[in-house]
Amino acid sequence: MISANAVERALRLINPVPTEKEQTSLRTALNVITNDARVELARRVANDYSKITNRDLLRTTFASQTAVAGVVSLAPLFALTEPLLREEIQSADIYLTGVTRKLQLLPDRAALTLDRPLGFAYGALVGSDLYLKVNGLLGTFASGVVVSGSFVPTFTSIIPPLDEMFVQIMAEMVKPAAKAV
Amino acid sequence: MLTETEVCNLVLEAAGKSEKELPKPRILALRTPALELLSKRVKESADYQGMQKDFSVNPVAGRVDLSAITNILFDLDHARVRVASTNQTLTTVDSHETLESGQLPSDQVYYAQDGRDLVILDGNGSIVAYTTALKIKANFIATLAAADLPDQYSKTWIATIVELLTPAGSEAMETTKAGGA
């Protein structure tokens, strides 16, 4: 999908049909909100467990990041063109090199210090850093960390059937502006 | 376009006056002001597309100087700007601020009116780089020299000349001049 198509399709969903002058304002509004609409699409799709196939369209396995002294920075993943959807990190699958079991995310660093069963990996996200506890040890893990999770799509990744949902989101987001013009 | 003789005869007929009452030079002198007034009225009407044509322009450093385009009557809501070679439509936004800070998608080229200039945002996010030749479909002021008044407006042109021969008509012309294009 390209942004111009999304804008024109969303414009057609607005009722009552805007005049030509109103369309100019609405085109501006629609173009400006495209980034917010992409995030909203990612959010809705990530939470739509009823349509697991749609959900999979906006999930990916990111390139492995390297942990140093039990901490791995996920900042590179948040800075990608199609970034990891931070608020859905809880639903991400995170694996550490050499650990078979999936990492269990804990709410904060304090929770990491509590005694936990060995053989599991635990983590707590603080800012963009993921603090790790492996086999009961904090501050030691130094190897690869692979995250599979939801991402915010660029227009290229908004393929059918996501395009329809995206266009509807855009129209919904611009509704207040449509009423005002 | 009507000849001088045709204009004079039609004006005399429409005004119900003789050549003695309305000397030919007076009628002929009003042809150009009537064309200007008519062009501006068409631009403001629902039928504005009836007097639109393509103006070729070459942007310099992301800007098009509208004041340098002869006889253009530019209206952001009614004009269409396209790439000359491909006919790809550039997208209108409402302001320079939107171009600068609207975080617009990079798969479109946008433009906004900034005073007497058009400012163009290219796909790289620059507002000072665009130089691709464009054509602007916009309303124009018809002239005698170009003989470009569409035939469908000949009658209206005659009526406008007759109108300008009256005191109220002269006032209308003055109002239009004061209002500018």
Side-chain angles (χ1 to χ4, degrees):
Chain A
M1 170 172 247
I2 60 170
S3 63
N5 288 354
V7 166
E8 293 306 315
R9 283 174 63 182
L11 202 54
R12 299 304 178 275
L13 293 180
I14 292 167
N15 274 315
V17 176
T19 64
E20 200 162 37
K21 193 170 182 63
E22 289 165 349
Q23 283 183 23
T24 305
S25 305
L26 288 170
R27 271 197 192 94
T28 299
L30 285 164
N31 275 291
V32 169
I33 57 125
T34 51
N35 290 327
D36 299 322
R38 288 190 298 117
V39 176
E40 180 59 22
L41 174 71
R43 201 177 279 151
R44 288 193 195 180
V45 170
N47 284 296
D48 189 357
Y49 289 88
S50 67
K51 288 183 180 163
I52 206 79
T53 48
N54 284 2
R55 203 167 165 267
D56 285 342
L57 291 175
L58 294 187
R59 280 178 77 86
T60 190
T61 299
F62 294 92
S64 177
Q65 305 296 304
T66 305
V68 177
V71 183
V72 60
S73 171
L74 300 185
L77 307 187
F78 295 129
L80 292 169
T81 315
E82 293 192 320
L84 173 64
L85 184 61
R86 185 190 185 92
E87 63 200 67
E88 292 302 324
I89 190 83
Q90 288 291 347
S91 70
D93 299 325
I94 303 173
Y95 286 94
L96 311 186
T97 303
V99 181
T100 317
R101 295 184 177 106
K102 195 173 111 175
L103 178 133
Q104 308 293 307
L105 265 180
L106 301 175
D108 52 45
R109 270 182 87 181
L112 273 184
T113 60
L114 302 174
D115 285 341
R116 305 251 169 212
L118 300 180
F120 292 89
Y122 298 92
L125 189 66
V126 180
S128 299
D129 292 334
L130 183 64
Y131 287 78
L132 304 166
K133 183 176 193 176
V134 183
N135 282 325
L137 297 173
L138 278 168
T140 57
F141 185 78
S143 192
V145 177
V146 176
V147 179
S148 297
S150 298
F151 65 92
V152 179
T154 58
F155 284 98
T156 321
S157 297
I158 303 176
I159 55 172
L162 301 178
D163 58 340
E164 194 182 333
M165 192 191 292
F166 181 67
V167 168
Q168 281 172 352
I169 289 170
M170 287 182 72
E172 276 172 32
M173 290 177 89
V174 87
K175 255 181 194 166
K179 276 183 189 164
V181 292
Chain B
M1 205 152 151
L2 299 171
T3 63
E4 287 186 7
T5 312
E6 285 171 331
V7 169
C8 288
N9 291 340
L10 288 168
V11 168
L12 289 172
E13 190 185 326
K17 302 213 169 170
S18 66
E19 202 173 331
K20 209 171 184 182
E21 291 171 295
L22 268 182
K24 210 172 173 182
R26 196 173 162 210
I27 296 171
L28 294 179
L30 286 172
R31 286 178 304 165
T32 295
L35 281 176
E36 285 182 18
L37 184 57
L38 167 62
S39 302
K40 289 171 183 173
R41 283 178 175 172
V42 170
K43 178 200 152 206
E44 299 300 329
S45 74
D47 184 36
Y48 68 89
Q49 292 192 23
M51 280 189 72
Q52 285 198 320
K53 69 175 184 182
D54 282 333
F55 294 87
S56 296
V57 294
N58 291 298
V60 177
R63 281 186 175 257
V64 173
D65 180 0
L66 292 173
S67 65
I69 305 173
T70 310
N71 291 327
I72 192 170
L73 286 172
F74 187 82
D75 182 321
L76 194 68
D77 297 321
H78 292 163
R80 292 288 177 266
V81 179
R82 298 188 173 96
V83 175
S85 60
T86 64
N87 274 331
Q88 183 205 350
T89 306
L90 274 62
T91 306
T92 320
V93 293
D94 58 359
S95 67
H96 195 289
E97 288 74 10
T98 303
L99 283 185
E100 281 183 310
S101 314
Q103 292 187 307
L104 298 164
S106 59
D107 61 351
Q108 293 184 63
V109 177
Y110 295 89
Y111 71 97
Q113 190 168 359
D114 185 35
R116 296 165 75 175
D117 287 352
L118 294 184
V119 187
I120 303 157
L121 175 75
D122 68 13
N124 295 320
S126 172
I127 54 171
V128 292
Y130 196 85
T131 54
T132 308
L134 299 172
K135 52 187 183 184
I136 301 174
K137 188 171 281 294
N139 284 78
F140 64 94
I141 298 174
T143 62
L144 294 173
D148 52 0
L149 181 71
D151 289 342
Q152 69 192 84
Y153 295 107
S154 294
K155 271 188 181 173
T156 319
W157 183 31
I158 297 299
T160 310
I161 295 173
V162 173
E163 183 191 343
L164 289 179
L165 287 165
T166 65
S170 304
E171 276 174 29
M173 190 66 213
E174 288 307 315
T175 309
T176 312
K177 272 184 187 167

